[in-house]
Amino acid sequence: MSVVVAYKWAGDPQEASVGADGSVDFGRARPGISEYDAVAIQVGRNLADALGSALVGVCVGAAGAGAPVATKAALARGLDRVLVVADDSLATLGTAGTAQVLSALVGQVGDAQLVLAGDCSTDVGARMVPAVLGGTLGWATVTDAASVRADGAGVVVERTLAEGAQTLRLALPAVVAVASDAAKPQAPGMKDVLGAGKKPADVIAAAPLTPVGDGETLSAARAAAPARKGVVITGDAATAAGELVGALRAAGLLDKAGTGR
Amino acid sequence: MSRSYVIAAGHAGVGTLVAHAAALGGEVVALVVGPRDVAERVAAAGVTRVVWFDEAGGHAAEAFAPAVAALVGGAPGHVFAARRPADRVLLGAAAAALAAPVVADATAVADEGGRTVVTRAVYGGIATRTVAFDGPVAFCLDGGAAGEGDPAPVERADASPAGIVVTYLAPEPAGADLTRATSIVAVGGGLRAREDLALVEQLAAALGAEVGCTRPIAEGLGWLPRDRYIGVSGLRVAPELYVAVGISGQLQHMAGCRDAKTVVAVNTDAKAPIMSQADYVLPADLYELVPALTRALG
Amino acid sequence: MGFALTDEQQIVRDAIREFADAEVAPLAGVIDREHRPPLENLPKMAALGLFGMLVPEEFGGSGADTLSYVIAVEELARRCATHAVVVEAHSSLCCWPIVHFGTAEQKAAYLPVLASGEKIGAFALTEAGAGTDAGSSRTTAVRDGDEYVLDGQKVFITNGTFAQVFIVVARTSDDGAKGLSAFIVDRDTPGFTVGEPERKLGIRGSATNPLGFVGARVPAANRLGAEGDGYAIAMATLDGGRTGIAAQAVGIAQGAFEAAVDYAKQRVQFGKPIARQQAIQWMVADMATSIEAGRLLTHQAAALEDAGEDFTARASMAKLFCAQMAVQVASAAIQVHGGNGYTEEYPVERAYRDAKITEIYEGTNEVQRMVIARGALR
């Protein structure tokens, strides 16, 4: 059996530049594997070692995701091999399309019984790919897992939700998205980095199916940052505090206490 | 689209979803997973009817994903769900059954000549797009408050859960819902020690505000529960007053509090990103200013 | 001639940078103020394979190329010069000579434990009366049966406090520099003591200790190379160490430079960030240029070594240039910070203090000039 981890090769939107016409250019943003995906790979590594399984990474992205520097970076984190679909036409694949192509890759792994994913991606952050992936595969799916362990023919997941702490047992096959603190990822060591080039990386240049589109873009714009007053209040703590309280009171903000439960 | 679905897994906070669905026309069918009383609360939210998946505690709501997918696949329509773990999984299953695109951040949803036109933020909120869809769309948005209207009919679905058994649940009392709070005091990396949270809590008490935080405080350090973390993958809040204390204002955090009506920023670094995104800017040490504010509030 | 780093080298840089940002940076100021080594980070560095980079895979190391090693040292130094020299002294000055001059038994006995970080290495050549004039060392090693008896003192030995394996150069005959031999000495050798570390201007977290030998008996099997090879072994060892120190200097400079750039963008005087003042812009330009030049020299020296070509002069140039450059860049970085840069609240004063040692140890600037001139005037 193989344990699969879905990962992304993407840049941080904070480093992207947005044109006046709303177009987003990631050119100056160095792509990488996010800290969330690194956690998922670490959880996968721990599970694969416990089960004596292979750990396979799957990834969909622009051409850069298939470049050796990207596949080696992923392999250096602890994957045994990677399957990547990389083509620039896939750079703007939406959530649903990404999940579809990933599910096809999971099918290609053949003996996959468990797919792990990170909490969210750095660039899009929709937190929906694991759910759609699970739905496409027809596998039991849960998210926000704080821990995952193998148990007989299933996995036991622990997580903390707003309503309390839960322990779940899932029958395999399953898709589990892990919380950002489910494991502390080990930074790749020298041997991992130098050995990464020897592990298999299968890069496919075209999606194995026609994925679902993401709608027709009618227009784009830079995010309208709400106009902020930018009133600077300086001075010693007592004076500044007094001035702020006065301003908030004048704006009627100090009588609206309380929460709407 | 002649119908929209609104998913609710164990809660009734679907007011905003129902409003979007209703605006698109057609019947609004709530798909509720949970005990009967939740189904009845959702029935009062202004929906046409409720299909109730009876789940009283032995299975995770996610176990009904195949049943929800089968129902939605058999009678396609838009699907709306709140940003909550089980709701997302059910939405994902429905989206897969429909081969529908997924929209996770929409500020406007409208029907225009039979197409569904959506204005959405992209890439953590650095840009927006107006996109037209033909066919059903799966939306993951802020759920909104519970409704208080005339109850719609509730029909029990003939479906059983598949494969995800809850073996232990240690319930927590319902925490504050920061998405409904009128004031929030949020704290970030400027806080040096867990004990110092007391300062922030005192200010929040004086303001009648809830306490929120940035992701590292909740997930990295664990000083506050995860349901208090405000950011692009955490809570999106829109209070009247948002007091950000010791927060630098990274994109991922600001995406969660952008919609606050008034933002106050306290930070020793006058050039931190948040200082140019606030209504009141106080370049000061939170360890001096926060107690002073608490005192000034009496 | 390719200037691009290989994929592995880029990934090494990113991985060590990730580690340095997360685990090294928080300790850098602490160990400096407390004048103590980063012992709590040694196991983490070992787990990453940082102590096995120059040890071949067959002995448990990663068999990294010199350039990858140099990149790793620079990334450590960017956050903390001390962490960098712990790795550099262990790797270049202890692992390397055993790899290149050790017998099969010596390699099998020492390289695996050095590579795993279970034992840290050190190199002991310098004495109170023998610094640049290393050939005049007076610590003696007298043959007695199948042992040598060592008597004497060494000073300024990096990693002394916690190292377990010491390469010690001692005199086996009166023949000047040709009378020196090298030995692998275990810490627990009776008669061998490690003294209290020096309190220094910079790299304060680096343990710099005197060593004492009083009738310390070392097996003859632990002699590295033949009798009389000690000086040549030491010089060859220091040749390789040069590139490591050059990398450390580049890292120190890079860290100081980045701090200066951040500060310049934030500090507002006369209504605008000082980064908009031409004086600052020119300082930044000069810093950036000299760092890049130093890095390229260092990388080239490493690449020559990897190609099996003669790299001695290039390594000396790299160390000479980068050491002087690091001192200049650190000074300029303080200047950009103004009065703030002079306080302990900002990291640049530490960079300035740390940079100075690179002009002195593992061959002073003057020694480097001698080596370069000798090569040029041949």
Side-chain angles (χ1 to χ4, degrees):
Chain A
M1 127 158 183
S2 288
V3 176
V4 176
V5 183
Y7 71 93
K8 196 168 189 182
W9 183 253
D12 187 336
Q14 256 188 156
E15 290 164 36
S17 54
V18 186
D21 63 348
S23 59
V24 177
D25 177 10
F26 274 88
R28 291 201 63 192
R30 282 195 60 217
I33 291 182
S34 74
E35 48 192 315
Y36 301 110
D37 287 351
V39 170
I41 296 174
Q42 187 67 54
V43 172
R45 183 73 264 159
N46 297 343
L47 265 170
D49 289 343
L51 291 166
S53 307
L55 186 68
V56 182
V58 293
C59 176
V60 180
V69 69
T71 56
K72 287 178 191 175
L75 290 161
R77 289 224 166 248
L79 299 164
D80 296 320
R81 66 178 176 105
V82 296
L83 250 79
V84 180
V85 177
D87 188 81
D88 282 338
S89 67
L90 301 174
T92 49
L93 202 55
T95 302
T98 302
Q100 274 190 325
V101 181
L102 284 174
S103 78
L105 290 178
V106 171
Q108 282 186 27
V109 173
D111 62 345
Q113 290 280 291
L114 178 63
V115 178
L116 300 172
D119 188 65
C120 72
S121 64
T122 333
D123 57 346
V124 174
R127 309 189 73 195
M128 280 299 300
V129 168
V132 182
L133 174 58
T136 309
L137 290 167
W139 294 5
T141 302
V142 293
T143 63
D144 298 87
S147 78
V148 188
R149 65 180 163 81
D151 193 57
V155 287
V156 173
V157 167
E158 287 177 9
R159 63 182 183 177
T160 305
L161 303 178
E163 45 270 34
Q166 262 190 347
T167 304
L168 307 168
R169 163 182 288 285
L170 286 79
L172 293 180
V175 174
V176 179
V178 300
S180 60
D181 54 2
K184 186 154 193 271
Q186 290 229 336
M190 293 302 298
K191 287 192 196 173
D192 302 312
V193 174
L194 298 173
K198 303 191 189 109
K199 297 197 251 185
D202 294 314
V203 180
I204 313 157
L209 45 81
T210 307
V212 156
D214 204 28
E216 181 200 332
T217 302
L218 301 177
S219 66
R222 218 178 230 157
R228 295 289 177 192
K229 297 212 281 269
V231 172
V232 181
I233 299 178
T234 52
D236 66 274
T239 315
E243 205 181 311
L244 177 66
V245 170
L248 295 178
R249 187 158 280 140
L253 286 165
L254 291 185
D255 301 316
K256 295 183 184 176
T259 64
R261 277 185 208 236
Chain B
M1 208 68 16
S2 58
R3 78 180 63 79
S4 293
Y5 296 94
V6 173
I7 288 172
H11 68 97
V14 294
T16 306
L17 302 175
V18 171
H20 281 307
L24 290 176
E27 62 164 355
V28 179
V29 181
L31 305 176
V32 180
V33 177
R36 178 149 205 136
D37 66 294
V38 172
E40 285 170 356
R41 275 167 35 223
V42 174
V47 299
T48 312
R49 58 189 173 90
V50 174
V51 176
W52 165 46
F53 297 84
D54 188 357
E55 204 310 295
H59 284 83
E62 289 91 334
F64 282 94
V68 165
L71 189 154
V72 171
H78 294 301
V79 191
F80 291 83
R83 295 195 188 105
R84 298 168 66 115
D87 303 54
R88 283 195 191 95
V89 167
L90 299 173
L91 181 72
L98 294 169
V102 174
V103 169
D105 199 341
T107 48
V109 178
D111 180 276
E112 284 177 26
R115 307 185 90 190
T116 310
V117 177
V118 177
T119 303
R120 65 194 300 194
V122 293
Y123 298 122
I126 55 175
T128 63
R129 300 277 181 272
T130 302
V131 184
F133 297 92
D134 304 304
V137 179
F139 294 91
C140 185
L141 309 171
D142 177 36
E148 297 288 330
D150 292 327
V154 174
E155 40 179 285
R156 191 175 179 287
D158 180 22
S160 33
I164 306 175
V165 174
V166 177
T167 57
Y168 178 67
L169 175 63
E172 290 270 306
D177 182 2
L178 267 69
T179 60
R180 306 272 85 81
T182 38
S183 311
I184 295 175
V185 178
V187 64
L191 200 74
R192 291 194 287 265
R194 185 187 205 137
E195 304 78 71
D196 302 340
L197 273 174
L199 283 175
V200 175
E201 284 159 0
Q202 283 154 22
L203 174 60
L207 279 170
E210 286 297 338
V211 175
C213 63
T214 58
R215 187 177 70 86
I217 300 283
E219 298 192 341
L221 295 164
W223 290 351
L224 281 171
R226 205 176 276 129
D227 63 1
R228 288 192 180 262
Y229 130 54
I230 293 159
V232 71
S233 64
L235 298 175
R236 315 285 180 93
V237 297
E240 295 289 323
L241 177 63
Y242 189 81
V243 181
V245 156
I247 290 179
S248 64
Q250 297 299 308
L251 176 69
Q252 285 83 0
H253 175 72
M254 296 313 291
C257 63
R258 228 190 349 240
D259 296 330
K261 309 294 179 304
T262 300
V263 173
V264 175
V266 178
N267 197 309
T268 46
D269 180 1
K271 287 294 151 187
I274 197 171
M275 305 303 248
S276 53
Q277 299 177 65
D279 296 287
Y280 297 97
V281 178
L282 283 83
D285 183 348
L286 73 93
Y287 284 90
E288 290 172 14
L289 196 76
V290 169
L293 260 179
T294 309
R295 279 191 298 271
L297 287 161
Chain C
M1 153 159 81
F3 284 84
L5 298 181
T6 64
D7 297 323
E8 282 78 0
Q9 287 158 356
Q10 290 180 57
I11 298 170
V12 164
R13 184 193 54 205
D14 294 342
I16 306 303
R17 180 170 298 202
E18 182 182 320
F19 170 75
D21 287 345
E23 308 285 353
V24 174
L27 270 190
V30 172
I31 60 173
D32 177 68
R33 277 189 294 282
E34 296 178 10
H35 291 253
R36 68 159 177 88
L39 296 177
E40 58 268 61
N41 267 355
L42 299 187
K44 297 176 201 167
M45 291 156 75
L48 288 183
L50 286 174
F51 293 116
M53 287 190 274
L54 296 188
V55 175
E57 285 183 83
E58 65 190 286
F59 295 106
S62 47
D65 54 297
T66 313
L67 185 44
S68 294
Y69 164 66
V70 145
I71 287 168
V73 170
E74 182 193 327
E75 287 303 322
L76 289 171
R78 172 180 162 268
R79 288 306 197 174
C80 178
T82 291
H83 281 75
V85 75
V86 170
V87 169
E88 191 275 338
H90 165 98
S91 303
S92 290
L93 305 185
C94 184
C95 294
W96 191 93
I98 297 177
V99 171
H100 284 83
F101 302 106
T103 61
E105 291 78 17
Q106 289 167 342
K107 291 192 215 185
Y110 287 100
L111 291 180
V113 291
L114 286 169
S116 69
E118 186 189 324
K119 297 193 176 184
I120 303 294
F123 174 79
L125 171 67
T126 303
E127 299 180 1
T132 294
D133 184 13
S136 70
S137 290
R138 289 172 37 175
T139 298
T140 52
V142 176
R143 183 86 189 225
D144 179 21
D146 59 358
E147 292 177 319
Y148 283 86
V149 183
L150 268 58
D151 280 276
Q153 293 98 33
K154 297 290 184 185
V155 296
F156 297 156
I157 307 309
T158 300
N159 291 349
T161 298
F162 49 88
Q164 299 285 332
V165 179
F166 294 76
I167 307 290
V168 179
V169 176
R171 181 166 296 289
T172 40
S173 79
D174 275 329
D175 210 0
K178 293 206 190 55
L180 298 173
S181 304
F183 299 88
I184 306 173
V185 180
D186 292 302
R187 189 193 189 88
D188 59 6
T189 303
F192 169 38
T193 51
V194 178
E196 287 303 297
E198 304 283 345
R199 289 180 68 87
K200 307 183 296 295
L201 171 68
I203 52 165
R204 287 180 167 173
S206 169
T208 309
N209 309 70
L211 308 182
F213 300 90
V214 180
R217 291 184 165 267
V218 173
N222 275 28
R223 191 190 67 230
L224 203 54
E227 270 198 27
D229 281 350
Y231 189 76
I233 289 175
M235 290 307 108
T237 300
L238 288 170
D239 257 2
R242 247 145 240 177
T243 318
I245 298 304
Q248 181 198 31
V250 173
I252 295 170
Q254 181 68 27
F257 169 73
E258 289 176 17
V261 165
D262 281 344
Y263 185 84
K265 293 202 265 196
Q266 289 182 29
R267 172 71 172 176
V268 172
Q269 290 284 272
F270 306 107
K272 54 187 174 183
I274 60 174
R276 301 231 220 117
Q277 303 287 3
Q278 194 173 59
I280 300 295
Q281 290 169 357
W282 284 5
M283 288 165 74
V284 165
D286 289 343
M287 283 194 265
T289 306
S290 56
I291 292 172
E292 198 54 42
R295 181 177 291 121
L296 281 169
L297 255 183
T298 307
H299 284 192
Q300 194 189 37
L304 283 172
E305 185 174 348
D306 284 335
E309 295 177 32
D310 180 17
F311 64 95
T312 302
R314 200 55 51 88
S316 287
M317 288 181 188
K319 193 209 184 251
L320 172 65
F321 182 89
C322 293
Q324 293 183 141
M325 176 274 288
V327 171
Q328 284 163 11
V329 166
S331 177
I334 295 185
Q335 202 65 17
V336 168
H337 280 70
N340 278 323
Y342 206 68
T343 72
E344 285 184 351
E345 248 196 82
Y346 288 82
V348 285
E349 59 83 26
R350 186 180 76 240
Y352 184 63
R353 289 185 287 104
D354 286 345
K356 183 60 188 168
I357 190 60
T358 63
E359 294 194 293
I360 298 171
Y361 67 0
E362 298 201 27
T364 59
N365 285 356
E366 294 65 41
V367 164
Q368 306 311 332
R369 287 190 166 98
M370 275 163 39
V371 171
I372 297 165
R374 190 185 319 138
L377 291 169
R378 224 195 295 278

